[in-house]
Amino acid sequence: MHKKILDHLNEAILLFDKDLRLTYINPAGEILLADSAKHLLGQTAHKLFKTAHNTLFNDLLPRLYLLEPLVDRELILERLSQSITVNLSATPLLEDGKLSEILIELQQVDRHLRITKEEQLLAQQNTSRMLVRGLAHEIKNPLGGLRGAAQLLDLELQDPELKEYTQIIIAESDRLQDLMDKMLGPNKPAHKSQMNIHEALERVRHLVTVEAAHGIMLHTNYDPSIPEIFADKNQLIQAILNIVRNAVQAVQNHGVITIKTRVQRHMTIGRKRYKLTVKIDIIDNGPGIKPELMGQIFYPMITGRAEGTGLGLSIAQSLINQHNGLIECESEPGNTVFSIYLPLEKNHANT
């Protein structure tokens, strides 16, 4: 019963002997340390917990030999060339009044921060979508009347020069109508079926290869073991294409764009936790997104380009949200990464 409870905890539990060698780790700990129990058991705490300033061992762990529990918050651990931020709690376990084992609990903090950020992103997306759709509907009604009146006037006029003005009104009305349709976003229900995500990605790659300048290199880094997902292939192609085209515009005529797929374990999207998700990264080495725009890039009409409409990312987020997924972005000069997360649950077809 104890093992069953430990195996299903979301918090990492590690047990060390008095020589600080790992004797037990639960599945949450394996996920946190990105390695299997088979490889981790027997390793020393010094090897497992590498910190930037070695404070864990210089200041904290020696206290355990004095039989004092310790707590450290926002401790940065280095694992496999990446940093993770954790809250640590260590408790000495006694036997006959002497230290026999050390129980360490680790709670990953950066994941909770990311979940909070995701919830804010989804809430912002829903609010902006409702606002824009309401505005677009209000504009479309008088716009239709304006176009109709221009058509009737065009039929009555005989002078070609005057007809030219009515044709301009009609053409501009059509342009505004098209913009309103884009602002309203996808208005068709998703037609989902089992599909290979790499088929959609290859379709996007072929389309962009034809459009892009010769100085742009488009690379792929796929995980072929990713199982099929339950999704609308056309909608996914549209969402991914919008992001890749943005990357092409960012690198201008010379640059590198990489499309990468991996499986992400234990991902929380919109308050629901999925055991497996597919992660699609679109990476470019362009100048990056301006910091002041980072918090707004998924809003409609927000763009860093003078000729842009600011609708591509908003529509892409909308389409991915329809698949219970999410798009995130990290950017710095020379490295902008848009990450698309889509659930890989077996029962996702029924949700």
Side-chain angles (χ1 to χ4, degrees):
M1 177 60 72
H2 292 154
K3 186 178 185 304
K4 187 176 181 180
I5 293 171
L6 289 171
D7 285 350
H8 287 82
L9 286 177
N10 292 328
E11 193 169 274
I13 305 295
L14 295 83
L15 186 66
F16 293 87
D17 62 21
K18 62 181 180 180
D19 296 320
L20 292 180
R21 290 191 177 277
L22 185 66
T23 59
Y24 169 80
I25 183 169
N26 70 343
E30 294 178 82
I31 293 168
L32 180 67
L33 299 181
D35 207 343
S36 68
K38 181 178 179 181
H39 293 121
L40 294 171
L41 293 177
Q43 293 189 28
T44 64
H46 291 76
K47 186 174 181 180
L48 290 175
F49 301 143
K50 295 179 181 178
T51 62
H53 306 290
N54 289 322
T55 55
L56 183 60
F57 301 102
N58 294 338
D59 303 326
L60 299 177
L61 282 181
R63 287 173 50 196
L64 291 171
Y65 290 102
L66 300 176
L67 308 184
E68 297 179 6
L70 61 91
V71 173
D72 194 20
R73 300 192 182 279
E74 297 187 7
L75 182 69
I76 298 176
L77 303 180
E78 303 292 337
R79 289 294 301 172
L80 301 177
S81 74
Q82 68 179 35
S83 300
I84 55 176
T85 307
V86 299
N87 287 341
L88 177 145
S89 174
T91 306
L93 304 182
L94 307 182
E95 187 174 321
D96 297 328
K98 296 181 180 180
L99 178 69
S100 62
E101 294 175 304
I102 298 169
L103 180 69
I104 291 184
E105 304 166 61
L106 298 175
Q107 184 179 45
Q108 189 169 355
V109 179
D110 41 15
R111 188 167 73 175
H112 290 289
L113 295 174
R114 187 185 56 74
I115 291 171
T116 301
K117 180 182 175 183
E118 285 175 5
E119 290 178 349
Q120 292 174 346
L121 184 61
L122 288 170
Q124 291 171 354
Q125 178 73 11
N126 289 333
T127 302
S128 65
R129 189 184 304 145
M130 291 174 61
L131 178 65
V132 168
R133 285 188 174 183
L135 178 63
H137 278 299
E138 289 299 318
I139 294 174
K140 284 182 73 174
N141 291 333
L143 191 61
L146 182 67
R147 188 186 192 282
Q151 285 179 310
L152 291 174
L153 182 60
D154 186 72
L155 293 174
E156 295 294 328
L157 294 173
Q158 302 299 323
D159 189 338
E161 291 186 3
L162 294 177
K163 277 180 170 288
E164 184 178 344
Y165 295 118
T166 57
Q167 290 300 316
I168 290 173
I169 296 172
I170 293 170
E172 289 301 294
S173 297
D174 289 340
R175 187 178 66 83
L176 284 174
Q177 178 72 39
D178 183 59
L179 180 60
M180 292 302 103
D181 289 338
K182 288 181 179 178
M183 288 179 67
L184 287 170
N187 54 10
K188 295 180 181 178
H191 298 290
K192 298 180 181 179
S193 61
Q194 294 294 331
M195 59 162 285
N196 186 321
I197 188 62
H198 296 118
E199 291 181 6
L201 293 174
E202 280 299 286
R203 174 65 176 161
V204 170
R205 186 178 69 83
H206 288 138
L207 288 171
V208 174
T209 300
V210 172
E211 299 173 355
H214 294 297
I216 295 176
M217 293 182 288
L218 191 59
H219 297 162
T220 58
N221 183 354
Y222 296 156
D223 178 355
S225 68
I226 294 175
E228 290 188 336
I229 64 172
F230 190 71
D232 185 315
K233 184 176 180 179
N234 289 330
Q235 287 191 354
L236 289 191
I237 288 173
Q238 183 61 58
I240 298 165
L241 186 60
N242 286 358
I243 297 174
V244 177
R245 280 175 172 162
N246 272 9
V248 169
Q249 291 162 350
V251 300
Q252 297 178 355
N253 293 327
H254 295 87
V256 179
I257 299 170
T258 303
I259 303 175
K260 176 181 174 183
T261 60
R262 291 293 184 270
V263 169
Q264 182 90 8
R265 298 181 182 276
H266 295 274
M267 177 79 181
T268 302
I269 303 175
R271 293 185 177 271
K272 185 172 181 181
R273 194 177 188 207
Y274 298 93
K275 290 183 179 179
L276 293 174
T277 58
V278 57
K279 181 185 181 187
I280 306 162
D281 287 335
I282 293 102
I283 309 163
D284 72 68
N285 65 343
I289 299 169
K290 295 178 181 178
E292 60 268 23
L293 289 179
M294 276 299 295
Q296 309 169 38
I297 56 173
F298 293 107
Y299 283 141
M301 314 305 288
I302 300 296
T303 178
R305 295 180 295 109
E307 71 279 10
T309 63
L311 295 173
L313 291 179
S314 175
I315 292 171
Q317 186 73 274
S318 238
L319 291 169
I320 297 301
N321 288 166
Q322 286 189 26
H323 291 78
N324 298 330
L326 183 72
I327 306 175
E328 292 183 337
C329 177
E330 294 182 358
S331 182
E332 61 183 12
N335 186 47
T336 295
V337 183
F338 279 89
S339 298
I340 303 172
Y341 298 92
L342 294 166
L344 275 175
E345 298 289 292
K346 290 183 180 178
N347 61 353
H348 181 47
N350 299 322
T351 59

